[in-house]
Amino acid sequence: DAGVTQSPTHLIKTRGQQVTLRCSPKSGHDTVSWYQQALGQGPQFIFQYYEEEERQRGNFPDRFSGHQFPNYSSELNVNALLLGDSALYLCASSLITGGTDTQYFGPGTRLTVL
Amino acid sequence: QKEVEQNSGPLSVPEGAIASLNCTYSDRGSQSFFWYRQYSGKSPELIMSIYSNGDKEDGRFTAQLNKASQYVSLLIRDSQPSDSATYLCAVNAGGGADGLTFGKGTHLIIQP
């Protein structure tokens, strides 16, 4: 049973550039959530995708956008990168049934902005 | 603003003892509660989920929930050096409608 996968593992960009991160959910899951984790902090919710629509969004600017594909995989796009965007980006997948939402995380993408 | 508070530690516990990790949350409407373990440089790994008041046990781990006090705890019995990690408390309003709100995590050190 394949778990959540993310690519790439590491990424180095410069300020002002754009980046795309990718996530494939755990087999059987239909929902993908994205989180940003700065060093020494807990993950911060960016947004969640279900049925190819953004269901909810955290307190992140419009520079952060996403997409979900028919096979449930997802992309996170960040435009006009800032130094402060350097963080571990986590994808979590879940199956929305029964009112619970247990989320399983992928290994993450470490983004460094220079 | 939904908030989840944890003592950042470090919490140092002798090997074989019970480690007790605590978490409080601000949103009284929260429905789902989770504990994740995160080793340095790795992603969070789910340990326990709890949805009802009381205790839930899974091996050496026990999660406790008190919705009236807005308090969640995690007990680790017979602590092992491999339990040394950061433990993240996460809260969800439930129904899959919200993303998880995380605390900053408690750094746990098990001393051999």
Side-chain angles (χ1 to χ4, degrees):
Chain A
D1 181 17
V4 182
T5 60
Q6 291 186 243
S7 63
T9 305
H10 296 88
L11 206 50
I12 299 175
K13 292 286 187 178
T14 56
R15 282 180 298 172
Q17 285 189 312
Q18 179 265 345
V19 68
T20 297
L21 310 182
R22 296 176 175 82
C23 171
S24 291
K26 184 178 171 68
S27 178
H29 283 184
D30 58 8
T31 302
V32 173
S33 302
W34 286 93
Y35 295 83
Q36 179 195 67
Q37 187 176 24
L39 202 61
Q41 303 294 314
Q44 297 290 313
F45 174 67
I46 303 174
F47 41 54
Q48 183 180 81
Y49 276 85
Y50 172 67
E51 294 188 331
E52 303 178 50
E53 297 285 336
E54 183 183 294
R55 298 194 73 207
Q56 194 196 25
R57 189 180 186 90
N59 189 25
F60 278 81
D62 291 344
R63 298 188 297 111
F64 290 77
S65 63
H67 188 77
Q68 185 179 34
F69 299 94
N71 67 352
Y72 307 116
S73 67
S74 177
E75 289 182 347
L76 164 65
N77 300 291
V78 186
N79 294 322
L81 285 167
L82 304 174
L83 295 179
D85 294 332
S86 295
L88 179 66
Y89 286 85
L90 296 161
C91 166
S93 76
S94 56
L95 178 65
I96 297 180
T97 56
T100 65
D101 185 23
T102 301
Q103 298 186 19
Y104 297 88
F105 284 87
T109 295
R110 175 73 62 184
L111 173 64
T112 302
V113 182
L114 302 177
Chain B
Q1 177 101 8
K2 300 174 186 175
E3 293 183 348
V4 176
E5 299 289 339
Q6 295 181 255
N7 188 325
S8 61
L11 174 64
S12 186
V13 174
E15 183 176 356
I18 296 174
S20 178
L21 305 164
N22 304 315
C23 169
T24 59
Y25 59 94
S26 64
D27 184 1
R28 189 170 288 278
S30 298
Q31 299 289 323
S32 310
F33 307 86
F34 305 90
W35 283 99
Y36 288 85
R37 177 176 64 197
Q38 187 172 29
Y39 293 113
S40 181
K42 302 296 185 181
S43 64
E45 173 192 9
L46 180 70
I47 297 176
M48 295 279 289
S49 60
I50 187 166
Y51 307 100
S52 304
N53 281 328
D55 295 359
K56 179 181 178 183
E57 186 174 320
D58 183 0
R60 295 187 297 111
F61 298 95
T62 298
Q64 300 174 318
L65 173 62
N66 183 326
K67 289 186 178 180
S69 300
Q70 297 176 239
Y71 177 91
V72 193
S73 66
L74 179 70
L75 301 178
I76 307 175
R77 291 182 299 280
D78 188 24
S79 296
Q80 303 296 311
S82 60
D83 294 327
S84 298
T86 295
Y87 288 79
L88 296 163
C89 173
V91 175
N92 191 345
D98 289 344
L100 295 174
T101 301
F102 281 85
K104 292 184 178 181
T106 297
H107 182 41
L108 176 65
I109 299 172
I110 305 300
Q111 295 180 321

